Amino acid sequence: MTKIFSPTDAEITFAGEIIKQGGLVVFPTETVYGLGADGLSDKAVQKIFKAKGRPSDNPLILHVADMQWAEKIGEINENARKIMEKFWPGPITVIVQKKDIVPGAVTAGLDTVAIRMPENETARKLIKAADTPIAAPSANLSGKPSPTAFRHAFDDMNGRVDAIIDGGDCDIGIESTVIDTTSLVPTILRPGGITAEMLAEILPDIAVEQHKKEGTEGYTPKSPGMKYKHYAPDAQVILYLNQKRLAEDIAEFRKQGKKVGIFKSETSTLTADIELSWGKDTKDLAKCLFYSLRRFDELGAEVVLCEMPEKNGIWQGVYNRLYKSAGFDVRE
Ligand code: TXA
Ligand code: MG
């Protein structure tokens, strides 16, 4: 039986007890919902992989509510400290060398650990109540879009976890930026809410890991998670950098008898069988992205044609998620 909690102090304290006792709790963060367990308990962490159907070679993020805990689980180097001081609490995960107390199940045997201090009030209260770093991947079944609304977390995790905290909709809508500070040059492994431009203000030199299609010659992803197919709705997703081509393809797919969805800006006048607007800019799009991908499936879209927004702000993160949902199908 999965208990549903509201984010009151009393219920968050109770959820913290569940974590302490080795149970699983789904909780809101400012990015996406997380599927949490005691990050220092090998046994509790194993349950996460089972509940999600996640391959055990894909490491997890440890969530902390203060720097003391971050220091206990990782070697905080100079660049890592700069990032943490500037952007924590917030949507950025920092990879550092791990300390011995971190169980191998969390890091999938790597000698590094990913640490994040979320800003969401409920998440922070839960971590404090549990008095341990909370290991948490996104709370979706493996391969599904990350949940950014309570209902989607519930759809995927009801019956698989001890409790779900209903924290409403997530603010940012895509997962945290992941930055590796153990490489010679700090490297963004996953773009997110904290952008490369923002990081460049405090770090003289940063690199961005390019994500290529699996099987591309000479390409081995640095972050284990990057090699898995992600964020896949049932519908075929195609990205368009050009409005004219988008309009032509709507007509073409409809001629083929396909149920066509378009994911478009609020000012677009294009029409199709299913139309969802992503708003006016990249920030709006990020917030409703995963929600909308699930919605297209619920509405029975067979193809989803997506208009891309202006290249600014959180664009890299949005493009990275959509690019993978689209199975790398981008049309000029
Ligand atoms: O916003 C977020 O980051 C959300 C919320 C719940 O905090 N969490 C999340 O976790 O997105 P997950 O497990 O879905 O994604 C974590 C990513 C994966 O791609 C994983 O491979 C990578 O971080 N990762 C974790 N530890 C790593 C490590 N030591 N080295 C390289 N990559 C690592
Ligand atoms: Mg995930």
Side-chain angles (χ1 to χ4, degrees):
M1 254 296 279
T2 299
K3 295 192 184 71
I4 307 301
F5 290 142
S6 53
T8 60
D9 285 354
E11 297 195 16
I12 294 171
T13 305
F14 200 73
E17 284 303 317
I18 294 176
I19 298 268
K20 276 186 185 167
Q21 285 162 24
L24 295 180
V25 175
V26 170
F27 63 100
T29 83
E30 69 276 24
T31 57
V32 303
Y33 274 78
L35 164 57
D38 179 351
L40 298 183
S41 158
D42 197 83
K43 218 171 124 198
V45 169
Q46 308 273 2
K47 290 188 193 167
I48 293 178
F49 289 94
K50 195 154 170 253
K52 257 191 88 112
R54 178 172 172 123
S56 61
D57 67 346
N58 192 1
L60 304 176
I61 298 170
L62 288 184
H63 296 72
V64 298
D66 56 55
M67 271 313 285
Q68 280 89 324
W69 267 113
E71 308 262 8
K72 279 188 221 169
I73 56 181
E75 298 288 350
I76 312 302
N77 62 56
E78 201 185 319
N79 283 333
R81 193 172 301 278
K82 275 193 201 161
I83 299 166
M84 293 167 177
E85 277 171 3
K86 175 89 177 168
F87 298 112
W88 275 8
I92 186 160
T93 297
V94 185
I95 295 177
V96 295
Q97 293 297 325
K98 84 187 246 316
K99 288 195 174 161
D100 288 343
I101 59 165
V102 179
V106 169
T107 62
L110 298 174
D111 54 11
T112 55
V113 62
I115 314 176
R116 173 158 114 82
M117 188 189 289
E119 188 170 22
N120 178 285
E121 210 42 51
T122 301
R124 295 171 66 76
K125 285 181 180 168
L126 177 68
I127 298 163
K128 283 187 193 143
D131 194 28
T132 183
I134 296 185
S138 47
N140 52 287
L141 289 172
S142 234
K144 285 269 171 198
S146 297
T148 53
F150 166 74
R151 189 168 62 80
H152 290 160
F154 179 85
D155 286 349
D156 280 14
M157 289 300 149
N158 185 35
R160 296 173 172 265
V161 298
D162 299 291
I164 304 176
I165 304 176
D166 180 353
D169 294 344
C170 301
D171 279 341
I172 295 176
I174 61 170
E175 308 86 345
S176 62
T177 303
V178 176
I179 185 161
D180 183 2
T181 66
T182 66
S183 44
L184 207 54
V185 175
T187 305
I188 296 177
L189 302 182
R190 180 175 73 183
I194 304 298
T195 63
E197 294 74 36
M198 291 161 83
L199 284 158
E201 284 175 22
I202 54 160
L203 300 175
D205 213 6
I206 46 170
V208 182
E209 164 89 331
Q210 295 304 317
H211 299 126
K212 303 210 180 78
K213 197 168 177 164
E214 179 76 350
T216 303
E217 206 183 323
Y219 173 62
T220 337
K222 283 211 193 76
S223 184
M226 293 302 170
K227 71 171 181 275
Y228 296 106
K229 187 164 191 269
H230 258 120
Y231 321 116
D234 298 333
Q236 178 193 357
V237 180
I238 306 171
L239 307 188
Y240 290 85
L241 303 175
N242 168 326
Q243 283 273 0
K244 189 163 164 278
R245 180 76 197 272
L246 173 52
E248 286 164 9
D249 279 10
I250 294 172
E252 178 58 32
F253 280 115
R254 294 193 75 176
K255 210 157 69 189
Q256 291 170 18
K258 292 252 168 76
K259 192 164 178 184
V260 179
I262 45 174
F263 193 35
K264 57 176 197 169
S265 64
E266 64 186 12
T267 53
S268 167
T269 52
L270 292 173
T271 58
D273 301 304
I274 305 162
E275 296 159 21
L276 295 180
S277 158
W278 46 246
K280 63 180 183 311
D281 56 22
T282 47
K283 193 168 170 230
D284 292 349
L285 172 46
K287 185 163 174 152
C288 69
L289 172 56
F290 291 139
Y291 187 90
S292 304
L293 291 179
R294 288 188 185 235
R295 193 72 195 126
F296 278 117
D297 278 347
E298 286 166 2
L299 296 170
E302 290 172 281
V303 285
V304 172
L305 312 184
C306 177
E307 175 190 346
M308 289 303 294
E310 296 268 315
K311 285 192 186 181
N312 55 31
I314 195 172
W315 197 87
Q316 293 282 0
V318 164
Y319 184 74
N320 167 277
R321 305 314 188 275
L322 273 168
Y323 187 56
K324 286 195 272 172
S325 308
F328 307 90
D329 192 350
V330 182
R331 300 185 184 176
E332 299 284 342

